[in-house]
Structure formats: C-alpha cells, structure tokens
Amino acid sequence: MYRVISRQYHSTKGVFGFIPKPSKEFQLDKRIIDARAQNSKAYRWVESYRNHAHRVASINPVPFQEPAKTESHLLEYSRYGLSRYDSVDLLGVVNSDTTSALTVEQLEQLLQQIYCGTSSIELAYIENEHEREWLTENYEQLFHSTLATSDKKEIAELLLKSQAFDNFLATKFPTVKRYGGEGAESIMAFYRQLFLCAAEADLSNIVVGMPHRGKLNVLTTLFQTRPVKIFRKFKGLPEFPADAKAMCDIANHFNTSTDININGKTIHLNMLNNPSHLEAVNPVSMGKTRAKQLSLQDGPYQLNPSNSSKVVNIQLHGDAAFVGQGINQECLMMADVPHFDVGGSIHMIVNNQVGFTTPGERGRGTRYASDLAKSIMAPVFHVNGDDPEALTKITKLAFAYQQKFGKDVFIDLNCFRRWGHNELDDPTFTSPLLYNVIHNRSSVPDLYAKKLLESGDLTQSDIDTVVKSHHEFLNSELQSVNSYQPEKSYFERQWSGIQQAGNEITTWDTGVDYSLLNLIAQTSVRCPEDFALHPHLRKHHVEARLRKIAEGNRIDWATAEAMAIGSLMYQGYQVRISGEDIGRGTFSQRHAMFIDQNTNEIYIPLNDLEGGAGGKLELANSILSEEAVLGFEYGMAIDNPNNLVIWEAQFGDFFNGAQIIIDTFLTTGETKWMVCNGLVMLLPHGFDGAASEHSSCRIERFLQMTDSKESTPDGDDVNFEVINPSTPAQYFHALRRQQIRNYRKPLVVVAPKTLLRLSECVSTHAELAPGTFFQTVIGDATVSDPKKIKRVILCSGKHYYNLNNERLASKNGEVAIVRLESLCPFPTQRIQEELAKYSNLREVVWSQEEHRNMGAWSFVQPRFENMCGKRIAYRGRYEGSTIAVGVSSWHAKEAEEVIKSAFQ
C-alpha cells in the first residue's frame, strides 16, 4: 500500500493572510481515455511533440550554428509503430478544428506547425494532470485563429514607435547609455496584450518589476511617462521638484504609478524603481503586489479563495541574470508559500542570448535560461522575438493560465541585442559570429512591417505616418526640456498626509492607557477552550504573562511587543512580522501564534482582539532566505504607510544575506526615488559566548550607511534610524512611533537576546502611559548627588546591565551610566543635557562589548567630541578580525576585562 505524500501546512482552516485553496478534482473524460487507449501509438507520438518539440522549434531569431539534428529523432512517427498513410482518429489525441481522422503525414504537418514553429511549450515536468491537459488543449487551439487586422496594425505601430524612440535617442544623445529595446521590440506586443487581458478580467492593479533593457521605450510609449522627463535627465537635470530632499537616480531606474484606461476600464499601473543590481526588484514587486491585495482585502486576504485576485504581478528578467542571481530561486521558492503567495506571477525572460559579454552557453549549465522555472513546475513558453503575433497569443494564454491556476508562468522571449550591453560597447570583441548575424539582418519592427505590407494589412503610408508623427512628438518633448517643471509624484493616494522628515529630532507621544494594554496583553495569550495548548506554554508563557500584567511593574520584552502591536491594530494599522521562526520567536519568547497539539491548527490570539478599528496581525514564517524575503517585506512597506512591516533576522548577522536589498532599496530608496518606507529590522545582537557567528548584527555597518553628520546635529531626516533600546518600554515606544509619526523611516533595532528574560530588564505600566515616549537618551536615575559624579560611562543597549552590576558590586558612587538608546539620529542635545547635570565631571568614556573596529565607537567618537566639546575615551575589546573568540574561557576573561576597564 502506497501512501501519497503531499504538502501540508499547519492550518486547514486558515489564518489572516492564508486561506487554504480548495482542492479541485479533475477527471478526464472517459471517451478521451478510451480513444487514447485505442490510438495509443498515435497518442504517444503526439505526446513526444508536446514534450520534446521545443528542442527543434524555430525559436531563435539569430542562429549562427546549425541546430543539432540528433534531437529530431524523438519526433519520428516510425519510433511509435506508425507509417505515413496510417489513419489517426483525432479524438483525445490532439486538439484540432477538424473532427475527422487525418493520415499520419497530415497530422505531422499540423504538429510541426503547432510545436516546431516560432513558439513552443515545455510541460513534461508538470505533475498536475489538469494543468497538463488544459495547457495542451489551449496551446493547440492558438493555431486555429489569426489576429484581426486592427490588432496587427496596433502591434506594428508600437514596434515602430519603439524603434523610432531608440533612433531618436541615438541621434540626440549619442554618448548616453540608454539600454534600448532594439532587438527586443516585441516586448511592446507583450505589454499590449497583457493590458487587454487585464481589462477583460476586470483587474484593478498591475505591478511590474523590470530591469533596464527596453525600459525607457516602455515607459514613454505605453506607461504614460512623458519623454521630456527622460530627456531632462539625459541633459543632467533632476527629476524631482526643487523642494524634494533627494539625490536622484539614473533614468533607467525610473518608476511610474499611473492609471491607464483600456477599453473603458481603469487599471492602476505600478512599475517599480529598480537598482542596477540585477533581479533585485523582483521580490519587491511581489511584496508590493501582496500589499495591494491586503489593501483590497483581495487574493489571500479574501473570504472566498476561489476568486482570483484583482492584482497581478509581472516580472521581466534578463537571461543571464535570471540564471545567475540566486534571488530568483528564492523568489520562486516563495511563490506558493503561505503569506508570500501572490496568486502566481507572469514572468518574461528577455533572452538576449548573451550576458554582458558572456555567450549564453557559458552563462549557465542548463539548456534554457528558463530552466529554473521547472523547480516549481511552472510552464514555459518559448517564443521567437521576430514573431510579435505569436508572442501576443502566448501572452494571452499565459495570462489565462495564471488566472485559472494561480501559479507562476514563464515566457522565454528569444531575441537579441542590436548593440552591446549598452550602446557604447562593441560586442564583436567576444561574440563575433553572433553579431555577424545580427548586423546583417533587419530589425524586428522593419521585418514585421514588411510582413504586413506584403499581406496588405498595412501600407507604406501608414508606416511613414507612424514614424513621422512619433518623431515629431519626441522633438516637441525635447524642445520643452527647459520649460518643463518636474511633477510631484510622491505622497499621493494612500500616502497623502505623509511628508518628508524635518531637520530636528522630534518627540511623539506614543503612550497608551494601561486598561487597554491590559486587555491587549490578556488577549495575546487567550485561546479557545477546546484548544490543546502545549502545557509548557500554558505555565511559563500564558500564566506568567497574566501575572506580570496584573502586577503592572515587571513587563518583559515580549509582552511589551504584544502590547505595542495590539495597540496599533486597535488603531486600525495592519501589522506583519516576517522571518524565520517568527511565530514562536528564535529564542522561544514571542509565541504570537499557538499550535494545537492535537490538530496542528494555528491560532493567533491578537486577531480576536475585541473593539478597535480592525487591524490584523499577519505572521509570515518565511523560507530560509534573507535577500528575497527582505525585498518582499520592503515591497510591502512601500505600498502603504498604514502597514507596520517587521522583518526579524533569526540572528543579527543574518542580515548580510540581504545586503543588496539594504544597500539599494532600504537605505537609499527615499533619497534616490522619493520612496519612503517604515520597515523595521529586528537584529538580535549580543556577545554571549556564541563565537563569531550570531554575536553581532554589525552595528558599525549600518551606522556607516547612514547620512548622519559628524559636526552638525542630526534631525529626523537621516536616511534611516538605528536604535539599541535597553528596556521593554523603549521597544514598545519605538514600534508605536513608526506608525504614529507623520513621516516614515526604516528602523534598525539592535535587538536583544539575553534581555528577553533578564530579571532586571523589565518596565512598569507608568512607562507606557499616555504622555510617555521613546527616549533617545536615558540618564542615570540612581544618582542621588550629581556633584559626586566624576566619570560618565556612555553605553548602549544590553551592555548597560553588565556595567550597572559591576558598579553595584564595587559600590562606586563616582560613576554615572548614561544610555544612548538612539544611535542615529545622534541625539546631541539630549547628551549635552545629561552631561550638564554633573558639574564635577572629569572624564567621559564609551564602553562597548564589541571590538574597537566594530560596534558604535567610530560613529560616536567624532560626533561626541565635535558637538559636545569633550574628549571621550574608549573602553572595550581590542581590534579584531573576527566578531568574537571561539573559546569560552577566553570569552569570559574578555567580558570581565571589558566591564572592569570602564571603571578604571
């Protein structure tokens, strides 16, 4: 007896953000089964075309080598016991517009036309019978229809406009790298058909992630971006109004957010800003799509999961980048994971058959650039870029598949680059034979226009009119460069009311009445009576939390977090926590979700919070990925300021797997693109004897990435914030402050490990009350006589508790310990206020547990000395090449020396 192994998730009932998809039974018609049995030889032969014909299809527009003949033998009918004049009943064998039987010779001609022409399909690896049957049926039906003349003329017009745009730029801006669409102009046909399908399906939003190749063509021809904006950029002028605090970016990274009208239907289109780090925009586009679904209560957030989403995600890839960048595998592995599923993305690989200067066959170890799609059993359609009509049909089929099955689907558009990686490169250095073919062939628009001329669907006058009128339009846009004023394209729609931060550090009342916090905390550990809660959790988590909140003076870190999140939900904000093991918490501290010990069902107590404005908590346990997951969360955060999005690294150093997202999106998105976000990164940090890995979140790296000033005071307008809070109340206020403020900034929380259960690290209800707020600096409340203080130890985070214990043990009454809770923005004024209390102060030291070349020392020293007017001495570990020693006895000795040195 065989047991079928299938994927199962914890919840069969569903939780917020995950509704199990209903199983769909599929049964093939018995007549077809019988027909295939009777025509088994013919059916096996037809299946060989479905599975193998893509190997010999005419999908390469620039072949410079003869295709291998050895692979066509798989399609020979004689291999399947058939002869030329055998009669084949088509029922159940092939989808045809004729119901009569065909000879093998006639059927071979039909199969060659369908599977060996300018498009083909890969589906041999797809396990689901329903999908396979649907794909073969609908793919074969494509060849029973032709496009209307009006469609052909519209496609030709778009291709000619794309070519005219590239020619115009080549003439007017000959030294500018434009990464044009030459050779891949059929992209226009893809987008055109995509828009038509979206309108017919009554979609509300399209979210696009696209790299440089042909991007400017698409933006100006189809996406309603005025060419003058591009031309202005090429002339060295900024793209934002003068009052925007922005450093700007290159034109190939531009975005658009606009409404397009297709056949009377209005669809909102988002093309996201992309950096030059290839493929990094893909998870961002997925996260943005997911956030749109959240706002619309759509897709995985809707009550009826059988309805397809009104939002679709589109991703364009480069062939070499799709294969080479690991972020793509991470994205695909998220595609069907609860809380990351966006209902399937439509992918197009713009297959130039060369990556930068590397020939395609040396840029991968697989047959196709699209082979990664097989890992998630996504169908792949291969299309010759010279045939925009085939691409139009395939786009329609790909869209229909995504809508029906809610899965990813791929189009591999085989095309070419007319020039090198950019227009200033000479590609013949490295690919002479390929470019000999390219330079001796006509362009895609010219070939298609010629085809329509010969068929009578287009006249030469039509062609001349399109090219001339578009050239005149571009010229008029170029003439208006000097008079054009950049438009404000930010802080609109859901972002209205949000503004850029000011140049002072502001304080925000984030306190909440304790009666509400008490209700929230009680709700956070409440579960249904018939729920089989783990006995350890019942005793050490639930009962312990109820005791602490009843007392109100020993609130721990996890309770403060639950209170902060629940209070924001009560105010109507949506909260999402994402990362590895975040439901339980890496250190088994959070337990925001309970698992029934008998049924494996998930229950999230805070989502049954009574009263309030209806915010929900989404707990997204992620795949073991940092780059794609953080990119996804960034995409969630930039869509709506009312979403508090939190990404928690399992350990602080795991952030380095997401460094590309941090560098190119999180820390620079506002200054490059005027795209704000309030994403929170929780990075557990602390030297606890765990050796180099997992001890440090590399505070120094984040501080180096800020635009904090060394000699003038910071304001809220730093590019992102770094805090190292030392109490649960501080963490509570920091989370609430993210949403309460009228601006959004990314926040790095140097998060604790040992403080999660340290008995001294607790807060009282008074520290959470209305009128309280996040304190950038915490003074020393234990000092009874400030005149006795001769030394101030400045420190940050959990290190305070070790220092304080040493002070208590040594009974040193001449030392005050001041906690720097906010590292960036650097709170100069508050530090000065604290130091001013000590009139007999002789020395200020900075104490840290990190090595001297790590931690906050190199950041704090120049700011403190330049703006506080005092010298500051260093106390901590020596310079080191690794984060921490790997010998426990050495660690213990170092830790003791670090603490004692601060008092010497």
Side-chain angles (χ1 to χ4, degrees):
M1 183 101 179
Y2 291 98
R3 182 184 175 191
V4 177
I5 298 176
S6 61
R7 300 174 64 208
Q8 293 182 347
Y9 299 118
H10 271 141
S11 178
T12 57
K13 297 178 181 177
V15 292
F16 183 72
F18 169 59
I19 305 296
K21 298 175 183 177
S23 59
K24 298 178 181 178
E25 295 294 329
F26 174 75
Q27 183 63 51
L28 198 60
D29 189 288
K30 189 175 184 303
R31 288 192 313 129
I32 294 178
I33 296 174
D34 293 342
R36 289 176 179 175
Q38 293 173 5
N39 292 274
S40 60
K41 295 179 181 179
Y43 178 65
R44 287 171 54 226
W45 176 46
V46 171
E47 281 287 282
S48 73
Y49 270 88
R50 291 166 176 163
N51 294 332
H52 305 298
H54 58 86
R55 305 184 193 182
V56 295
S58 302
I59 56 175
N60 189 356
V62 285
F64 62 90
Q65 292 176 326
E66 285 293 320
K69 301 293 185 182
T70 55
E71 301 198 274
S72 61
H73 72 280
L74 294 171
L75 310 180
E76 294 174 1
Y77 50 77
S78 59
R79 287 174 58 94
Y80 305 94
L82 297 170
S83 60
R84 178 183 302 181
Y85 300 111
D86 285 347
S87 179
V88 177
D89 186 350
L90 299 184
L91 178 64
V93 174
V94 66
N95 292 285
S96 172
D97 57 352
T98 177
T99 57
S100 59
L102 295 178
T103 64
V104 166
E105 185 177 42
Q106 291 171 323
L107 183 53
E108 183 178 43
Q109 293 175 358
L110 178 61
L111 293 172
Q112 287 282 326
Q113 175 195 353
I114 293 174
Y115 287 103
C116 299
T118 54
S119 69
S120 198
I121 186 173
E122 273 193 281
L123 46 66
Y125 47 86
I126 295 177
E127 294 178 358
N128 186 285
E129 184 184 19
H130 187 191
E131 290 181 38
R132 283 180 55 87
E133 293 292 337
W134 187 93
L135 283 165
T136 55
E137 177 182 355
N138 286 272
Y139 179 77
E140 289 166 7
Q141 286 178 352
L142 288 180
F143 296 87
H144 302 159
S145 62
T146 57
L147 298 186
T149 298
S150 58
D151 291 321
K152 296 177 183 179
K153 293 179 72 171
E154 286 183 18
I155 293 170
E157 182 177 342
L158 288 173
L159 268 59
L160 291 167
K161 283 182 176 180
S162 179
Q163 180 169 263
F165 178 78
D166 278 322
N167 291 342
F168 186 85
L169 292 186
T171 302
K172 303 297 184 181
F173 302 95
T175 61
V176 171
K177 299 175 183 178
R178 64 180 188 274
Y179 303 98
E182 292 152 302
E185 290 93 345
S186 289
I187 291 173
M188 297 294 179
F190 165 76
Y191 277 119
R192 173 188 173 274
Q193 185 57 50
L194 182 72
F195 291 167
L196 291 172
C197 290
E200 186 177 352
D202 202 26
L203 299 194
S204 61
N205 291 82
I206 298 174
V207 180
V208 179
M210 180 180 180
H212 298 46
R213 178 90 159 100
K215 185 174 185 181
L216 300 183
N217 307 58
V218 169
L219 280 171
T220 56
T221 307
L222 278 169
F223 287 13
Q224 301 183 355
T225 297
R226 286 190 60 184
V228 66
K229 182 178 179 180
I230 310 298
F231 301 155
R232 177 182 167 89
K233 190 66 187 178
F234 283 171
K235 284 185 173 289
L237 299 171
E239 62 268 28
F240 297 119
D243 61 347
K245 298 178 182 178
M247 296 177 70
C248 303
D249 201 2
I250 63 173
N252 296 98
H253 297 172
F254 281 3
N255 78 321
T256 188
S257 177
T258 187
D259 288 333
I260 56 175
N261 188 282
I262 307 294
N263 293 340
K265 301 283 184 67
T266 299
I267 302 173
H268 189 70
L269 172 68
N270 286 98
M271 175 183 276
L272 303 183
N273 299 100
N274 62 290
S276 289
H277 278 74
L278 302 175
E279 309 293 318
V281 74
N282 299 334
V284 179
S285 73
M286 293 172 68
K288 177 92 169 174
T289 302
R290 177 92 187 187
K292 292 290 183 191
Q293 294 170 335
L294 174 59
S295 296
L296 295 170
Q297 292 294 288
D298 173 55
Y301 302 100
Q302 62 185 324
L303 295 177
N304 185 359
S306 62
N307 296 333
S308 56
S309 174
K310 295 296 183 183
V311 189
V312 67
N313 176 231
I314 310 299
Q315 297 178 37
L316 269 71
H317 312 276
D319 49 328
F322 184 71
V323 171
Q325 296 296 308
I327 194 171
N328 290 310
Q329 178 178 334
E330 296 178 29
C331 287
L332 292 184
M333 291 303 107
M334 290 194 301
D336 195 32
V337 171
H339 307 289
F340 296 91
D341 177 10
V342 296
S345 300
I346 299 175
H347 303 259
M348 171 182 277
I349 298 174
V350 182
N351 193 343
N352 300 305
Q353 306 185 65
V354 61
F356 196 28
T357 66
T358 302
E361 68 275 7
R362 298 193 186 180
R364 62 179 184 270
T366 61
R367 178 189 291 270
Y368 296 118
S370 58
D371 280 345
L372 193 58
K374 297 174 181 177
S375 65
I376 60 169
M377 289 181 281
V380 176
F381 301 101
H382 302 283
V383 186
N384 189 317
D386 279 351
D387 193 345
E389 291 183 21
L391 179 59
T392 297
K393 294 177 181 180
I394 291 297
T395 302
K396 188 173 183 179
L397 178 56
F399 183 88
Y401 173 86
Q402 181 269 339
Q403 289 286 293
K404 182 172 181 62
F405 294 102
K407 289 185 57 180
D408 288 51
V409 59
F410 282 78
I411 299 173
D412 174 25
L413 180 66
N414 290 267
C415 52
F416 59 92
R417 289 188 324 221
R418 171 63 67 180
W419 313 112
H421 175 66
N422 59 66
E423 291 71 23
L424 308 184
D425 286 337
D426 185 349
T428 61
F429 291 157
T430 54
S431 300
L433 296 183
L434 173 62
Y435 274 87
N436 182 56
V437 175
I438 291 172
H439 290 158
N440 285 284
R441 55 155 288 160
S442 299
S443 70
V444 177
D446 287 347
L447 281 177
Y448 188 58
K450 180 181 178 182
K451 175 184 174 182
L452 297 191
L453 277 173
E454 293 172 350
S455 66
D457 292 306
L458 209 62
T459 66
Q460 188 61 50
S461 176
D462 293 332
I463 298 170
D464 295 341
T465 299
V466 168
V467 175
K468 181 182 178 182
S469 62
H470 199 58
H471 190 273
E472 290 174 349
F473 166 66
L474 295 174
N475 246 328
S476 67
E477 288 286 288
L478 182 60
Q479 297 304 315
S480 62
V481 163
N482 293 329
S483 61
Y484 171 76
Q485 293 299 315
E487 303 141 358
K488 181 181 177 182
S489 57
Y490 41 89
F491 301 142
E492 297 177 336
R493 296 176 179 263
Q494 66 268 33
W495 282 85
S496 60
I498 300 296
Q499 60 191 40
Q500 283 197 285
N503 56 10
E504 295 182 351
I505 298 177
T506 54
T507 299
W508 298 81
D509 181 354
T510 47
V512 179
D513 187 270
Y514 194 66
S515 61
L516 175 58
L517 295 182
N518 194 0
L519 169 66
I520 291 167
Q522 289 186 47
T523 302
S524 71
V525 289
R526 185 182 298 150
C527 58
E529 291 184 4
D530 60 348
F531 194 90
L533 186 64
H534 195 290
H536 181 85
L537 289 185
R538 187 175 297 280
K539 179 178 180 180
H540 296 285
H541 180 71
V542 175
E543 294 176 3
R545 178 169 292 182
L546 292 175
R547 283 196 304 271
K548 291 173 183 176
I549 60 177
E551 296 169 2
N553 58 6
R554 296 191 59 79
I555 298 167
D556 62 17
W557 204 274
T559 303
E561 179 185 76
M563 288 175 167
I565 289 171
S567 61
L568 289 172
M569 293 165 58
Y570 195 85
Q571 291 177 257
Y573 296 105
Q574 308 286 359
V575 181
R576 175 182 166 100
I577 309 178
S578 168
E580 297 143 20
D581 312 303
I582 52 85
R584 187 201 74 166
T586 296
F587 309 101
S588 197
Q589 86 285 2
R590 179 173 292 124
H591 296 291
M593 65 166 61
F594 293 152
I595 311 298
D596 189 297
Q597 298 298 295
N598 296 329
T599 66
N600 225 32
E601 281 292 327
I602 291 175
Y603 178 68
I604 300 175
L606 277 178
N607 280 336
D608 282 340
L609 180 63
E610 295 178 358
K616 292 292 185 181
L617 171 61
E618 183 172 14
L619 296 172
N621 277 327
S622 73
I623 66 172
L624 194 64
S625 152
E626 284 77 45
E627 185 179 3
V629 170
L630 186 60
F632 191 101
E633 304 310 322
Y634 173 83
M636 291 282 294
I638 62 173
D639 184 69
N640 196 320
N642 293 320
N643 298 338
L644 174 60
V645 182
I646 301 171
W647 178 73
E648 182 176 60
Q650 195 172 57
F651 289 92
D653 55 327
F654 281 14
F655 82 87
N656 55 24
Q659 194 69 59
I660 289 174
I661 300 298
I662 294 168
D663 288 351
T664 59
F665 288 101
L666 198 69
T667 64
T668 58
E670 181 177 351
T671 186
K672 287 192 299 189
W673 308 319
M674 290 297 290
V675 174
C676 297
N677 80 94
L679 188 141
V680 177
M681 294 175 62
L682 304 181
L683 306 179
H685 172 94
F687 283 50
D688 306 317
S692 21
E693 275 72 63
H694 306 342
S695 291
S696 175
C697 74
R698 289 290 196 171
I699 299 172
E700 66 279 2
R701 292 188 186 175
F702 288 101
L703 293 176
Q704 185 186 34
M705 286 189 286
T706 70
D707 56 3
S708 169
K709 306 172 187 66
E710 288 191 1
S711 55
T712 56
D714 285 336
D716 292 332
D717 55 352
V718 291
N719 61 331
F720 70 102
E721 300 181 351
V722 182
I723 65 172
N724 192 1
S726 61
T727 72
Q730 284 284 85
Y731 180 47
F732 169 89
H733 290 299
L735 289 181
R736 285 189 48 76
R737 187 180 64 164
Q738 282 297 98
Q739 299 305 103
I740 301 303
R741 296 185 293 200
N742 62 355
Y743 64 90
R744 295 290 180 266
K745 289 287 180 180
L747 174 66
V748 173
V749 179
V750 181
K753 295 182 287 185
T754 58
L755 296 191
L756 296 174
R757 292 180 176 83
L758 188 67
S759 59
E760 304 105 286
C761 183
V762 291
S763 297
T764 68
H765 66 84
E767 294 174 280
L768 311 177
T772 58
F773 50 86
F774 178 81
Q775 301 179 68
T776 56
V777 174
I778 297 180
D780 197 333
T782 68
V783 174
S784 57
D785 187 357
K787 293 180 181 179
K788 292 183 179 181
I789 300 301
K790 297 178 181 179
R791 172 181 294 193
V792 166
I793 300 176
L794 198 61
C795 67
S796 189
K798 59 137 338 213
H799 193 49
Y800 162 78
Y801 294 93
N802 295 327
L803 292 169
N804 191 45
N805 288 336
E806 175 65 21
R807 178 175 60 172
L808 292 173
S810 64
K811 298 181 181 180
N812 191 328
E814 296 183 347
V815 173
I817 305 175
V818 175
R819 287 174 266 178
L820 187 59
E821 301 282 292
S822 170
L823 294 167
C824 181
F826 191 75
T828 303
Q829 183 178 344
R830 281 289 297 118
I831 295 173
Q832 290 172 334
E833 290 170 356
E834 286 301 318
L835 297 182
K837 296 177 181 179
Y838 309 114
S839 55
N840 294 319
L841 180 63
R842 296 179 184 176
E843 184 180 21
V844 180
V845 301
W846 171 261
S847 180
Q848 66 179 37
E849 58 182 2
E850 300 84 12
H851 289 277
R852 185 172 185 141
N853 57 318
M854 303 172 196
W857 164 244
S858 60
F859 181 86
V860 169
Q861 183 196 21
R863 287 161 180 78
F864 182 89
E865 294 185 350
N866 291 341
M867 291 183 283
C868 295
K870 297 180 183 294
R871 299 279 292 176
I872 187 168
Y874 173 79
R875 298 290 188 272
R877 282 177 168 82
Y878 51 87
E879 290 82 353
S881 56
T882 56
I883 301 298
V885 296
V887 179
S888 59
S889 59
W890 297 355
H891 167 77
K893 182 179 179 181
E894 281 186 2
E896 181 181 3
E897 290 175 350
V898 166
I899 297 302
K900 290 188 178 299
S901 70
F903 293 87
Q904 294 169 355

